[in-house]
Amino acid sequence: PLPSLAWGEEEYVVGVDDVLHIRVWDHKELDQEVPVRADGKISFPLAGEVQASGLTVSQLTNLLTERLSKAVRNPNVSVTVKEMRSHRVHFVGQILKPGAYPITAGTPMLQAMTLAGGPAEGADLSGAYVVRGDKRIPVDLRRLLQQGDLSQNIPLRTGDTVVVPRIAAPDNPQDMPERR
């Protein structure tokens, strides 16, 4: 079995555009903030080019420790993710603050919605959906937000796009269907 991690989450996997803070204890000159480049690699003194994207923080820490031990005696390396830029979910449509927001995989819809400020006026809450790859996953935000229906609080994944359409106004207001 896998070792249990804090909060029951999987360990963070480093991705392109993340910013890492790497520190080698007792070697102040090696204390650096390093961006993960588009090719998934970082450059670090005495370690050279290191593949970071796709590794967990502890795997990267072990790899840097191994590389640095050729130049530094018993290096004590610590890697922290300063900015998570690779794991994003996008909000479009009738949202107060549309855009891309950093999330960890599995963040529930409700928490992610709060980052984007929630739905804007004129939002068709019942018609919302998530675009995941080539799939369209319907999400009834009206049931989630107004009735607390947690079956609609789906876990989001990196790269998801949450679409909240505008309510379509009929040509004749008497034709407006009542929503229940």
Side-chain angles (χ1 to χ4, degrees):
L2 291 168
S4 65
L5 293 154
W7 309 298
E9 288 185 18
E10 296 171 35
E11 191 180 353
Y12 184 77
V13 176
V14 176
V16 171
D17 289 337
D18 285 347
V19 178
L20 307 176
H21 181 210
I22 301 172
R23 149 186 268 158
V24 182
W25 298 95
D26 297 330
H27 293 276
K28 203 83 181 126
E29 72 282 3
L30 295 177
D31 195 341
Q32 295 197 0
E33 280 184 19
V34 186
V36 180
R37 297 191 314 252
D39 63 2
K41 294 183 178 174
I42 59 171
S43 296
F44 196 74
L46 305 176
E49 299 284 299
V50 179
Q51 179 66 40
S53 179
L55 297 180
T56 64
V57 171
S58 55
Q59 287 170 328
L60 181 58
T61 303
N62 293 341
L63 181 59
L64 283 169
T65 302
E66 185 184 305
R67 292 272 189 95
L68 289 170
S69 62
K70 296 178 176 89
V72 177
R73 173 179 293 205
N74 299 325
N76 183 351
V77 179
S78 115
V79 175
T80 50
V81 180
K82 186 151 193 292
E83 293 179 45
M84 294 181 193
R85 295 183 178 170
S86 61
H87 298 257
R88 294 182 190 273
V89 67
H90 301 268
F91 283 89
V92 297
Q94 297 304 108
I95 293 286
L96 287 178
K97 297 186 289 186
Y101 293 90
I103 63 160
T104 51
T107 297
M109 171 67 80
L110 211 45
Q111 270 108 311
M113 284 288 291
T114 60
L115 294 173
E121 205 172 316
D124 180 1
L125 296 177
S126 301
Y129 57 95
V130 174
V131 176
R132 179 175 293 159
D134 58 0
K135 286 199 203 76
R136 178 179 164 141
I137 304 163
V139 179
D140 190 333
L141 292 178
R142 187 184 58 77
R143 284 182 22 213
L144 175 61
L145 298 170
Q146 295 171 3
Q147 299 169 3
D149 179 351
L150 295 180
S151 72
Q152 301 300 309
N153 197 18
I154 66 168
L156 294 173
R157 295 190 194 154
T158 300
D160 280 356
T161 299
V162 178
V163 180
V164 182
R166 174 183 285 282
I167 292 175
D171 296 332
N172 184 343
Q174 279 82 33
D175 295 343
M176 186 80 171
E178 283 194 30
R179 296 202 168 241
R180 301 215 165 159

